[in-house]
Amino acid sequence: MATTALRTCPLCEATCGLELTIEDGEVTKVRGDKDDVLSHGFICPKGANIGALHDDPDRLRTPMMRGADGELAPCSWDQAFAFIDERFKAIDAEHGRQAFAAYLGNPVAHSLSGLIYGRPMLKAIGTRNIFSASSVDQAPKQVACGLMFGTSLSISIPDIDRTDYLLILGADPLISNGSLMTAPDFRGRMKTIGERGGKVVVIDPRRSRTAEAADEHHFIRPGGDALLCFAIVNALFDEGLVTPGDHLDGLLSGVEEVEQAAQPFTPEAVAAGCGIEAETIRRIARELAAAPSAAVYGRIGTTTQPFGTVTSWLIDVINTLTGNLDRPGGVMFTKPPAGSPNTQGAAGSGRGMKIHRWATRAKGRGEVLGELPVNCLAEEIETPGEGQIRSLITIGGNPVLSTPNGDRLADALDTLDLMISIDIYRNETSRHAHVILPALSALEHSHFDLVFTVFAVRNFANYSPPVFDPPAGMLDEWEILLRLTAIASGAGAAAEIGPIDDFFALELAGRESRSETSPVFGREPAELVAAAGDRVGPERLLDIMLRCGPYGDGFGANPDGLTLAKLEASPHGVDLGPLQPRIPESLRTASGLVELAPPEIIADVPRLRAELEGAPANGNGLLLIGRRQLRSNNSWMHNVPKLVSGPEGCTVLVNPDDAARCGVADGQRAVLSSKRGSIELTAVHSEAMMLGVVSVPHGWGHDGEGTEINVASAHAGANVNLLGDSERVDEISGTAVLNGIPVELAAAG
Ligand SMILES: Nc1nc2c(c(=O)[nH]1)N[C@H]1C(S)=C(S)[C@@H](COP(=O)(O)OP(=O)(O)OC[C@H]3O[C@@H](n4cnc5c(=O)[nH]c(N)nc54)[C@H](O)[C@@H]3O)O[C@H]1N2
Ligand SMILES: Nc1nc2c(c(=O)[nH]1)N[C@H]1C(S)=C(S)[C@@H](COP(=O)(O)OP(=O)(O)OC[C@H]3O[C@@H](n4cnc5c(=O)[nH]c(N)nc54)[C@H](O)[C@@H]3O)O[C@H]1N2
Ligand code: SF4
Ligand SMILES: [Mo]
């Protein structure tokens, strides 16, 4: 008999509702849930293959441990934890806590267990060596927003459902399905902008799918976005178009500093450096100022480049100066249901964001978001001395493929005394581990988007229970993390995790009951925990968070409010309405103002001035950029047959004129090399590429020995991150430069 199950897709930030048909314990059909409050039936090829992912025979279903012969072999959970406990103690005794490190990968951001139990585990370990995908991704945006608005989760989200003008830089949401902008069916939403008489403009060195669907597209020299944005700011001042709006009266500081900083960056001065004509820049500035509402949105092409933080900052400077900060149709702040730093504590001001509180040992690269740049991971393992990393745990991460110079990292991993991977595959990274602890299939655990409800274009909440029971004996990720927490706390491998979990629940309830702005201020923590009923694990903590959150029932204070039970009774999700203006309430800067000119960012402007000299010459004149692909998910969905069938995924796109100059025919094998390495792959001629720019997707290169991802290995592709240069970073955030890498192209052989 067929049954249906509803499940939020955990595979990307769009958080689509899926409707699964289950027959005899198998997923036989996946459709978009047309009643989902946010996605209204939208689905992409990845979500449609979630059943195949669940069924993948290569997906790990038992822990693996390295034996005396050096090979990874199945073992029991108890064996795995006992081994970890023993090694942990030995490393701790000899080297102390700074010898431990962690890398948290992209799937952690989609995991309720990972988000709730990951940080406490890291706290129990007590190391500053925390790395994550943020430093090959969005850290610059979080730093810029954090310094301007007071918390790293106060991200300005384009209100695309109401905007009249959308300027997109370095993002391809028709393929990526949106990032730092949870907006399922971006194409449909974008269409309505046109129907309202609005306009979409895309700035990208490649005429992307999004650019094709837009009203206007301009090529930009990779890395030229900071120059372009500064010139827009310059033009706004120059032409008297600066009108932040009455709603920001008395709430804005730093306008004059911004005007001054923008002085050298006239449209005429930047035109050569960014490859866009001065008149076009001025026109865009005028259009942004004149539109009834407008939003500037930048994504991975603007963050993973040498001026990632400056660019991210300038994007919101433009939004602010044109009157579009925190107003409908502009950029706004989502109000998430499970609370976030900008819905907690006193409204309107706070401690603000601090950066560079500590630094890496080898290069002195500064901390941001409580983390160090992953670019520095290999050298922090290699460099001897106090604090040398001897042990690493990766959670849902594949940094060997995802971060620059992964070959160097792979070698470094083999020198560790203890490496643990919590992963679903034995892949390019986890194959180096002493122990792999398998995570459950996405359909075997519950789901709630703690992160993406913070970045959504509408306020919403959506909870899914597990579709299938986990196989007997398997642990959920939160149970794995609690057992590791027990080990790190000295309680040992066999410790009961229930009491630790109870402690976390009491701690959370205690924080709420001590907060004057919480609906449960002054109440007894134990009473709140008891009111959460017989739930345990992430469900209990989520229930407490929801009930104390901005829409919560406050444990009775607001009886109609949100609870986990209410979400369970609403399998299509709960719509919490369009975004609302939130300034000044959402601000958590120390001044209680929007800080338009954070000193940490202004200090990086002189470095940008050097770029005014124009594009530097290099190699045979090519710059490498990346791209997302509809049927791919970073480094790890290439083991699903349906997603890798069809045209070759990992190719280098090159403008036909460049290809002719380099002597590379369409469809021919080519060698792409940088000063760090070279890869071989198929060249595809494409008029969509800007002259002088080539594009290769990341996450490929599945030819590593010792892996068990048989489909992916048969469609290996090449690892573009062998070309990256781990020395090149956005100076403020330490984020890797993944776009604009000088390369040379030649025919293979
Ligand atoms: N050159 C270049 N490099 C890039 C980028 C780029 O644009 N260009 N993009 C960067 C970006 S934005 C990101 S986010 C990173 C992503 O890079 P990573 O952080 O490495 O994340 P993924 O590549 O998604 O790898 C996810 C890992 O988690 C495992 N996994 C999947 N599901 C689960 C699960 O439920 N639980 C657990 N425990 N594990 C799971 C997978 O098997 C895989 O090993 O790559 C970055 N690297
Ligand atoms: N199908 C699919 N969806 C995904 C992912 C996936 O792997 N596959 N990954 C997910 C992840 S982890 C993330 S972070 C998001 C990323 O989401 P997006 O940022 O939308 O990702 P991309 O499609 O890589 O779009 C980046 C665009 O920036 C352009 N670009 C490169 N360099 C520059 C530059 O210097 N300036 C400008 N202006 N543009 C530049 C590229 O040509 C590309 O079109 O996607 C997520 N969604
Ligand atoms: S767009 Fe993202 S969330 Fe939606 S089905 Fe595809 S992978 Fe899942
Ligand atoms: Mo990402």
PDB file of all heavy atoms in Angstrom, residues 115-133:
ATOM      1  N   LEU A 115      23.568  21.594  14.291  1.00  0.00           N
ATOM      2  CA  LEU A 115      23.547  22.983  14.752  1.00  0.00           C
ATOM      3  C   LEU A 115      23.364  23.065  16.257  1.00  0.00           C
ATOM      4  O   LEU A 115      23.942  23.909  16.923  1.00  0.00           O
ATOM      5  CB  LEU A 115      22.434  23.758  14.042  1.00  0.00           C
ATOM      6  CG  LEU A 115      22.718  24.027  12.564  1.00  0.00           C
ATOM      7  CD1 LEU A 115      21.455  24.505  11.856  1.00  0.00           C
ATOM      8  CD2 LEU A 115      23.829  25.056  12.411  1.00  0.00           C
ATOM      9  N   ILE A 116      22.544  22.181  16.819  1.00  0.00           N
ATOM     10  CA  ILE A 116      22.269  22.275  18.255  1.00  0.00           C
ATOM     11  C   ILE A 116      23.388  21.628  19.075  1.00  0.00           C
ATOM     12  O   ILE A 116      23.806  22.166  20.086  1.00  0.00           O
ATOM     13  CB  ILE A 116      20.910  21.631  18.596  1.00  0.00           C
ATOM     14  CG1 ILE A 116      19.780  22.448  17.983  1.00  0.00           C
ATOM     15  CG2 ILE A 116      20.740  21.555  20.114  1.00  0.00           C
ATOM     16  CD1 ILE A 116      18.389  22.006  18.395  1.00  0.00           C
ATOM     17  N   TYR A 117      23.898  20.492  18.622  1.00  0.00           N
ATOM     18  CA  TYR A 117      24.845  19.742  19.450  1.00  0.00           C
ATOM     19  C   TYR A 117      26.307  19.896  19.023  1.00  0.00           C
ATOM     20  O   TYR A 117      27.199  19.450  19.729  1.00  0.00           O
ATOM     21  CB  TYR A 117      24.462  18.260  19.487  1.00  0.00           C
ATOM     22  CG  TYR A 117      23.166  18.029  20.234  1.00  0.00           C
ATOM     23  CD1 TYR A 117      21.939  18.008  19.572  1.00  0.00           C
ATOM     24  CD2 TYR A 117      23.170  17.884  21.619  1.00  0.00           C
ATOM     25  CE1 TYR A 117      20.752  17.828  20.263  1.00  0.00           C
ATOM     26  CE2 TYR A 117      21.989  17.709  22.320  1.00  0.00           C
ATOM     27  CZ  TYR A 117      20.778  17.682  21.628  1.00  0.00           C
ATOM     28  OH  TYR A 117      19.608  17.523  22.320  1.00  0.00           O
ATOM     29  N   GLY A 118      26.543  20.511  17.861  1.00  0.00           N
ATOM     30  CA  GLY A 118      27.921  20.678  17.398  1.00  0.00           C
ATOM     31  C   GLY A 118      28.707  21.643  18.279  1.00  0.00           C
ATOM     32  O   GLY A 118      29.799  21.329  18.750  1.00  0.00           O
ATOM     33  N   ARG A 119      28.139  22.830  18.505  1.00  0.00           N
ATOM     34  CA  ARG A 119      28.863  23.856  19.278  1.00  0.00           C
ATOM     35  C   ARG A 119      29.156  23.401  20.715  1.00  0.00           C
ATOM     36  O   ARG A 119      30.279  23.590  21.186  1.00  0.00           O
ATOM     37  CB  ARG A 119      28.104  25.182  19.271  1.00  0.00           C
ATOM     38  CG  ARG A 119      28.019  25.828  17.894  1.00  0.00           C
ATOM     39  CD  ARG A 119      29.352  26.421  17.449  1.00  0.00           C
ATOM     40  NE  ARG A 119      29.384  26.527  15.989  1.00  0.00           N
ATOM     41  CZ  ARG A 119      30.406  27.019  15.284  1.00  0.00           C
ATOM     42  NH1 ARG A 119      31.494  27.444  15.896  1.00  0.00           N
ATOM     43  NH2 ARG A 119      30.361  27.056  13.971  1.00  0.00           N
ATOM     44  N   PRO A 120      28.178  22.814  21.418  1.00  0.00           N
ATOM     45  CA  PRO A 120      28.510  22.339  22.768  1.00  0.00           C
ATOM     46  C   PRO A 120      29.643  21.315  22.769  1.00  0.00           C
ATOM     47  O   PRO A 120      30.484  21.308  23.668  1.00  0.00           O
ATOM     48  CB  PRO A 120      27.200  21.689  23.244  1.00  0.00           C
ATOM     49  CG  PRO A 120      26.135  22.362  22.461  1.00  0.00           C
ATOM     50  CD  PRO A 120      26.744  22.688  21.124  1.00  0.00           C
ATOM     51  N   MET A 121      29.686  20.472  21.730  1.00  0.00           N
ATOM     52  CA  MET A 121      30.784  19.510  21.661  1.00  0.00           C
ATOM     53  C   MET A 121      32.121  20.241  21.504  1.00  0.00           C
ATOM     54  O   MET A 121      33.104  19.923  22.181  1.00  0.00           O
ATOM     55  CB  MET A 121      30.588  18.548  20.495  1.00  0.00           C
ATOM     56  CG  MET A 121      31.679  17.481  20.455  1.00  0.00           C
ATOM     57  SD  MET A 121      31.906  16.739  18.841  1.00  0.00           S
ATOM     58  CE  MET A 121      32.637  18.066  17.914  1.00  0.00           C
ATOM     59  N   LEU A 122      32.118  21.264  20.625  1.00  0.00           N
ATOM     60  CA  LEU A 122      33.361  22.019  20.420  1.00  0.00           C
ATOM     61  C   LEU A 122      33.763  22.752  21.694  1.00  0.00           C
ATOM     62  O   LEU A 122      34.938  22.874  22.022  1.00  0.00           O
ATOM     63  CB  LEU A 122      33.184  23.016  19.259  1.00  0.00           C
ATOM     64  CG  LEU A 122      32.920  22.360  17.898  1.00  0.00           C
ATOM     65  CD1 LEU A 122      32.624  23.425  16.848  1.00  0.00           C
ATOM     66  CD2 LEU A 122      34.109  21.504  17.475  1.00  0.00           C
ATOM     67  N   LYS A 123      32.761  23.214  22.435  1.00  0.00           N
ATOM     68  CA  LYS A 123      33.041  23.895  23.694  1.00  0.00           C
ATOM     69  C   LYS A 123      33.653  22.905  24.696  1.00  0.00           C
ATOM     70  O   LYS A 123      34.588  23.241  25.422  1.00  0.00           O
ATOM     71  CB  LYS A 123      31.725  24.468  24.251  1.00  0.00           C
ATOM     72  CG  LYS A 123      31.931  25.720  25.061  1.00  0.00           C
ATOM     73  CD  LYS A 123      30.602  26.374  25.397  1.00  0.00           C
ATOM     74  CE  LYS A 123      30.675  26.939  26.809  1.00  0.00           C
ATOM     75  NZ  LYS A 123      29.351  27.198  27.369  1.00  0.00           N
ATOM     76  N   ALA A 124      33.140  21.693  24.678  1.00  0.00           N
ATOM     77  CA  ALA A 124      33.690  20.674  25.584  1.00  0.00           C
ATOM     78  C   ALA A 124      35.132  20.352  25.205  1.00  0.00           C
ATOM     79  O   ALA A 124      35.975  20.125  26.073  1.00  0.00           O
ATOM     80  CB  ALA A 124      32.831  19.412  25.541  1.00  0.00           C
ATOM     81  N   ILE A 125      35.418  20.349  23.915  1.00  0.00           N
ATOM     82  CA  ILE A 125      36.811  20.117  23.503  1.00  0.00           C
ATOM     83  C   ILE A 125      37.665  21.304  23.937  1.00  0.00           C
ATOM     84  O   ILE A 125      38.778  21.149  24.405  1.00  0.00           O
ATOM     85  CB  ILE A 125      36.918  19.897  21.971  1.00  0.00           C
ATOM     86  CG1 ILE A 125      36.158  18.623  21.558  1.00  0.00           C
ATOM     87  CG2 ILE A 125      38.378  19.799  21.548  1.00  0.00           C
ATOM     88  CD1 ILE A 125      36.168  18.354  20.063  1.00  0.00           C
ATOM     89  N   GLY A 126      37.107  22.496  23.773  1.00  0.00           N
ATOM     90  CA  GLY A 126      37.812  23.681  24.264  1.00  0.00           C
ATOM     91  C   GLY A 126      38.932  24.161  23.361  1.00  0.00           C
ATOM     92  O   GLY A 126      39.941  24.673  23.815  1.00  0.00           O
ATOM     93  N   THR A 127      38.741  24.025  22.047  1.00  0.00           N
ATOM     94  CA  THR A 127      39.784  24.478  21.129  1.00  0.00           C
ATOM     95  C   THR A 127      39.350  25.735  20.376  1.00  0.00           C
ATOM     96  O   THR A 127      38.162  25.964  20.164  1.00  0.00           O
ATOM     97  CB  THR A 127      40.136  23.389  20.099  1.00  0.00           C
ATOM     98  OG1 THR A 127      41.137  23.906  19.218  1.00  0.00           O
ATOM     99  CG2 THR A 127      38.929  22.967  19.274  1.00  0.00           C
ATOM    100  N   ARG A 128      40.347  26.515  19.989  1.00  0.00           N
ATOM    101  CA  ARG A 128      40.074  27.662  19.110  1.00  0.00           C
ATOM    102  C   ARG A 128      40.255  27.279  17.651  1.00  0.00           C
ATOM    103  O   ARG A 128      39.997  28.082  16.766  1.00  0.00           O
ATOM    104  CB  ARG A 128      41.037  28.803  19.444  1.00  0.00           C
ATOM    105  CG  ARG A 128      40.675  29.454  20.757  1.00  0.00           C
ATOM    106  CD  ARG A 128      41.625  30.572  21.080  1.00  0.00           C
ATOM    107  NE  ARG A 128      41.044  31.423  22.108  1.00  0.00           N
ATOM    108  CZ  ARG A 128      41.641  32.474  22.633  1.00  0.00           C
ATOM    109  NH1 ARG A 128      42.836  32.821  22.209  1.00  0.00           N
ATOM    110  NH2 ARG A 128      41.041  33.195  23.552  1.00  0.00           N
ATOM    111  N   ASN A 129      40.719  26.074  17.396  1.00  0.00           N
ATOM    112  CA  ASN A 129      40.969  25.642  16.021  1.00  0.00           C
ATOM    113  C   ASN A 129      39.689  25.124  15.367  1.00  0.00           C
ATOM    114  O   ASN A 129      39.572  23.944  15.055  1.00  0.00           O
ATOM    115  CB  ASN A 129      42.067  24.574  15.994  1.00  0.00           C
ATOM    116  CG  ASN A 129      43.424  25.184  16.269  1.00  0.00           C
ATOM    117  OD1 ASN A 129      43.774  26.201  15.672  1.00  0.00           O
ATOM    118  ND2 ASN A 129      44.176  24.591  17.175  1.00  0.00           N
ATOM    119  N   ILE A 130      38.752  26.031  15.186  1.00  0.00           N
ATOM    120  CA  ILE A 130      37.492  25.663  14.551  1.00  0.00           C
ATOM    121  C   ILE A 130      37.473  26.262  13.150  1.00  0.00           C
ATOM    122  O   ILE A 130      37.720  27.454  12.974  1.00  0.00           O
ATOM    123  CB  ILE A 130      36.298  26.158  15.383  1.00  0.00           C
ATOM    124  CG1 ILE A 130      36.355  25.505  16.767  1.00  0.00           C
ATOM    125  CG2 ILE A 130      34.978  25.839  14.690  1.00  0.00           C
ATOM    126  CD1 ILE A 130      35.389  26.108  17.753  1.00  0.00           C
ATOM    127  N   PHE A 131      37.208  25.400  12.188  1.00  0.00           N
ATOM    128  CA  PHE A 131      37.189  25.803  10.785  1.00  0.00           C
ATOM    129  C   PHE A 131      35.838  25.395  10.208  1.00  0.00           C
ATOM    130  O   PHE A 131      35.210  24.456  10.697  1.00  0.00           O
ATOM    131  CB  PHE A 131      38.307  25.101  10.006  1.00  0.00           C
ATOM    132  CG  PHE A 131      39.691  25.342  10.558  1.00  0.00           C
ATOM    133  CD1 PHE A 131      40.176  24.580  11.621  1.00  0.00           C
ATOM    134  CD2 PHE A 131      40.496  26.337  10.025  1.00  0.00           C
ATOM    135  CE1 PHE A 131      41.458  24.812  12.133  1.00  0.00           C
ATOM    136  CE2 PHE A 131      41.770  26.567  10.538  1.00  0.00           C
ATOM    137  CZ  PHE A 131      42.252  25.805  11.596  1.00  0.00           C
ATOM    138  N   SER A 132      35.402  26.092   9.170  1.00  0.00           N
ATOM    139  CA  SER A 132      34.156  25.652   8.542  1.00  0.00           C
ATOM    140  C   SER A 132      34.108  26.123   7.100  1.00  0.00           C
ATOM    141  O   SER A 132      34.986  26.869   6.635  1.00  0.00           O
ATOM    142  CB  SER A 132      32.932  26.182   9.298  1.00  0.00           C
ATOM    143  OG  SER A 132      32.600  27.479   8.844  1.00  0.00           O
ATOM    144  N   ALA A 133      33.046  25.711   6.419  1.00  0.00           N
ATOM    145  CA  ALA A 133      32.840  26.136   5.036  1.00  0.00           C
ATOM    146  C   ALA A 133      32.618  27.638   4.936  1.00  0.00           C
ATOM    147  O   ALA A 133      32.729  28.205   3.847  1.00  0.00           O
ATOM    148  CB  ALA A 133      31.652  25.377   4.437  1.00  0.00           C
TER     149      ALA A 133
END
